[in-house]
Amino acid sequence: MKALHFGAGNIGRGFIGSLLKTSGFELVFTDVNEEVIHELNERGEYTVELAAPGQKQEVVGPVSAINSAQHPAALTEAVATANLITTAVGRAVLKIIAASIAEGLKQKKPDHIINIVACENMIGGSSHLKEAVFSHLTADEQETISRTVGFPNAAVDRIVPIQHHDDILKVSVEPFFEWVIDETGFIGDVPQIDGATFVLDLTPYIERKLFTVNTGHALAAYVGYQQGVQTIKEAVDTPDIRQVVEGALHETGSYLIDTYGFQKEEHDAYIQKIIKRFENAFISDEVTRVARSPLRKLGADDRLIGPAKKIKQPVYLIKGIAAALAYDFAEDEEAVRLQALRKEKGIEGVLQEVCGLTPKDDLYRAILKETAHAEKKTKG
């Protein structure tokens, strides 16, 4: 079985690529970073280190790599002959690689089955990629390719910290990971991937991750920033910040349990597991990195407003939202735009334009009350 992975960065090598190689796939990376591509081809292997006590290491190989910018013909052939294609390139890059994937699909043998899984931090990544790929195909090509090419959606979760190694290929990753794939999206047999979980309905797992990991991470960052701490670990080690994070995750947990039938004991354990990940001393994650892009994270369906709209009278989530609305880190372009909008149109304008709320919403009024309280406390 041959796997082609788009994106030879830390997540690609340390997470998806590592699992594919462990599962026995012939693994080929493709990227535009010539230095990384050269080293992968020169050595044919790389080292993954766990960011945990003992810092256990494993060598991943043999692998090879293609520079997609310099060798498009080789990439076309790799797409056409792969059994599984995966990505870890970021939402914005999916539309860029779509043309190369489309060209390879047009060149594949008619009965050759390929499944394509976008492993991005977004909902419906594979569906998004399919739409972009199909934009490069005629209606007849789309119909033909749909018979033998699947685009199963997936949810991925693994913290890969900012890192600097003398070895350009070495990558450190946290021990915890989760790769959940919608098995109904596959064409043909579902592949064996060690460590991946295959489910019939991906939605509960996407929302569990978004409303626990992403929500908790963001709250620790925004509340931590307001209190002057530097890292996520410092934030969750600070009792009153931890109280907000844990309180909010139990609020989102009540929604997840009621909606999807997760067992309370199991979900409470999941919350504690997530918080322990934030406590990992081997992952030094700055609050300003996690808090970046506040306009997106305050969006109507994202990690803060999204769950808060689903919960009756949230308390801790609203404290976190108020902290996010006050985020003013000068080196973050979105934070600067957020504060400019707040100055121009007030919190009311931000809640309507960014968060998608209206004055009729209970959440709108609750956030206004909390931000007024926070401002009074700051001035006092």
Side-chain angles (χ1 to χ4, degrees):
M1 293 282 282
K2 179 179 176 182
L4 173 66
H5 180 79
F6 281 80
N10 289 338
I11 294 173
R13 298 196 313 278
F15 183 8
I16 307 302
S18 176
L19 292 187
L20 292 175
K21 194 61 202 176
T22 300
S23 304
F25 283 86
E26 176 190 342
L27 179 60
V28 180
F29 287 99
T30 181
D31 204 299
V32 294
N33 186 323
E34 175 54 27
E35 188 177 5
V36 169
I37 295 299
H38 173 78
E39 289 299 315
L40 285 170
N41 284 325
E42 188 73 15
R43 296 188 228 169
E45 63 184 30
Y46 59 91
T47 301
V48 175
E49 178 182 84
L50 291 184
Q55 295 179 292
K56 181 182 176 182
Q57 297 186 355
E58 68 169 334
V59 175
V60 179
V63 300
S64 60
I66 298 168
N67 187 315
S68 55
Q70 296 181 10
H71 303 288
L75 178 58
T76 296
E77 182 181 358
V79 170
T81 57
N83 303 103
L84 179 68
I85 296 174
T86 53
T87 77
V89 295
R91 175 196 294 253
V93 181
L94 288 179
K95 63 182 178 182
I96 297 174
I97 66 173
S100 298
I101 294 175
E103 186 59 34
L105 296 182
K106 287 190 285 187
Q107 299 297 324
K108 79 178 188 68
K109 293 180 179 179
D111 60 347
H112 179 61
I113 292 174
I114 303 174
N115 285 290
I116 303 174
V117 185
C119 306
E120 310 295 343
N121 188 20
M122 62 184 294
I123 295 173
S126 299
S127 296
H128 181 82
L129 178 56
K130 179 181 179 179
E131 183 179 345
V133 169
F134 275 32
S135 72
H136 297 279
L137 303 173
T138 66
D140 287 344
E141 288 170 340
Q142 291 177 20
E143 183 180 354
T144 300
I145 285 171
S146 292
R147 300 189 195 111
T148 54
V149 179
F151 287 83
N153 285 310
V156 292
D157 183 14
R158 191 172 209 175
I159 295 174
V160 179
I162 294 175
Q163 52 199 274
H164 304 283
H165 301 293
D166 292 334
D167 179 356
I168 191 174
L169 296 185
K170 182 178 179 180
V171 56
S172 297
V173 297
E174 67 163 334
F176 178 94
F177 67 85
E178 188 171 57
W179 185 7
V180 185
I181 310 174
D182 181 359
E183 66 179 71
T184 66
F186 283 93
I187 299 290
D189 295 333
V190 176
Q192 261 196 311
I193 304 175
D194 293 346
T197 301
F198 297 92
V199 298
L200 298 176
D201 183 4
L202 194 60
T203 303
Y205 299 90
I206 290 176
E207 289 214 332
R208 185 181 70 166
K209 189 258 181 179
L210 179 62
F211 295 163
T212 311
V213 181
N214 297 67
T215 298
H217 222 190
L219 290 173
Y222 290 124
V223 180
Y225 177 82
Q226 295 306 316
Q227 296 203 20
V229 304
Q230 300 298 311
T231 68
I232 295 298
K233 175 171 171 51
E234 288 179 63
V236 295
D237 284 344
T238 303
D240 56 340
I241 301 176
R242 188 188 188 99
Q243 182 182 33
V244 173
V245 174
E246 286 192 333
L249 295 191
H250 283 293
E251 289 173 347
T252 62
S254 66
Y255 158 75
L256 293 166
I257 290 166
D258 290 344
T259 304
Y260 298 116
F262 290 115
Q263 296 299 309
K264 186 178 186 309
E265 297 77 11
E266 291 179 6
H267 189 73
D268 286 349
Y270 178 74
I271 290 172
Q272 292 308 311
K273 183 185 291 186
I274 298 308
I275 290 175
K276 284 189 178 298
R277 294 169 65 192
F278 299 160
E279 294 175 325
N280 189 339
F282 290 85
I283 299 177
S284 181
D285 221 350
E286 295 182 356
V287 296
T288 50
R289 189 197 74 81
V290 177
R292 66 188 175 187
S293 306
L295 292 175
R296 173 169 60 86
K297 291 171 182 174
L298 281 165
D301 298 311
D302 213 282
R303 65 209 67 195
L304 300 175
I305 301 297
K309 290 190 300 186
K310 301 174 185 292
I311 298 163
K312 187 176 181 179
Q313 296 181 326
V315 174
Y316 293 102
L317 271 170
I318 290 176
K319 292 181 183 295
I321 291 168
L325 290 165
Y327 186 60
D328 62 357
F329 185 51
E331 295 178 31
D332 187 314
E333 181 183 338
E334 283 198 13
V336 173
R337 286 163 51 199
L338 170 63
Q339 295 313 313
L341 180 62
R342 180 171 176 172
K343 184 177 181 180
E344 178 188 359
K345 299 186 176 181
I347 288 294
E348 295 87 349
V350 176
L351 292 179
Q352 292 178 61
E353 293 189 20
V354 177
C355 306
L357 300 174
T358 72
K360 294 181 180 179
D361 296 321
D362 291 341
L363 182 60
Y364 177 98
R365 294 190 293 272
I367 294 172
L368 281 183
K369 183 177 179 180
E370 179 61 35
T371 53
H373 174 72
E375 287 178 349
K376 184 177 180 181
K377 187 177 179 181
T378 301
K379 291 176 182 177

